[in-house]
Amino acid sequence: IIVAEFHKKIKEAFEVFDHESNNTVDVREIGTIIRSLGCCPTEGELHDLIAEVEEEEPTGYIRFEKFLPVMTEILLERRYRPIPEDVLLRAFEVLDSAKRGFLTKDELIKYMTEEDGVSLCRLGW
């Protein structure tokens, strides 16, 4: 029953981007489809996943027949789960050292672009 429910959700998500109604989607839409199914792969994981479902000779399109079994396995194994809210809240609290309840645009840019990794180390990543 669970597999049938996953198949239905996957098909519905896939069909949103199957503009030609030919059981294919543009490879650039795969990340959006996967995220709409509640998964949050890294860019590297997404690249690996695309390589797994692409044709031997890449066409720029992904066929539903190849995507369905791979995505079903991902959902069954609960891979690429989003970071739990409590972890994100703790990370935010570390960055919000002034305890204001928000980060400024400049602070966010700084934390997202620091090359020395200090910000990520402070978060325990």
Side-chain angles (χ1 to χ4, degrees):
I1 295 174
I2 292 172
V3 171
E5 288 176 23
F6 282 155
H7 282 185
K8 183 177 182 229
K9 287 180 181 181
I10 295 166
K11 181 150 184 66
E12 288 171 355
F14 196 91
E15 285 176 344
V16 169
F17 295 94
D18 183 6
H19 304 297
E20 305 292 323
S21 298
N22 62 358
N23 288 324
T24 65
V25 296
D26 188 304
V27 69
R28 296 171 292 188
E29 304 291 0
I30 291 297
T32 303
I33 294 169
I34 292 169
R35 290 181 189 98
S36 77
L37 292 165
C39 297
C40 299
T42 64
E43 286 301 311
E45 290 166 333
L46 182 59
H47 179 74
D48 293 345
L49 196 142
I50 289 171
E52 188 175 344
V53 296
E54 262 186 324
E55 300 297 321
E56 301 237 353
E57 294 286 327
T59 62
Y61 291 89
I62 303 296
R63 291 185 306 120
F64 180 72
E65 297 80 30
K66 288 194 85 169
F67 182 73
L68 180 65
V70 173
M71 195 64 219
T72 301
E73 182 180 329
I74 288 168
L75 292 175
L76 285 170
E77 293 176 358
R78 301 179 58 90
R79 279 194 271 161
Y80 312 133
R81 303 312 309 160
I83 297 171
E85 285 182 36
D86 62 317
V87 173
L88 290 175
L89 182 58
R90 284 197 314 268
F92 175 81
E93 289 169 346
V94 168
L95 296 176
D96 181 25
S97 56
K99 307 287 186 233
R100 297 173 302 195
F102 65 90
L103 297 175
T104 66
K105 176 183 173 184
D106 290 339
E107 288 170 328
L108 189 56
I109 290 170
K110 176 182 172 238
Y111 293 134
M112 297 299 290
T113 59
E114 267 186 8
E115 294 182 30
D116 63 4
V118 171
S119 296
L120 296 179
C121 289
R122 287 176 57 203
L123 298 175
W125 295 333

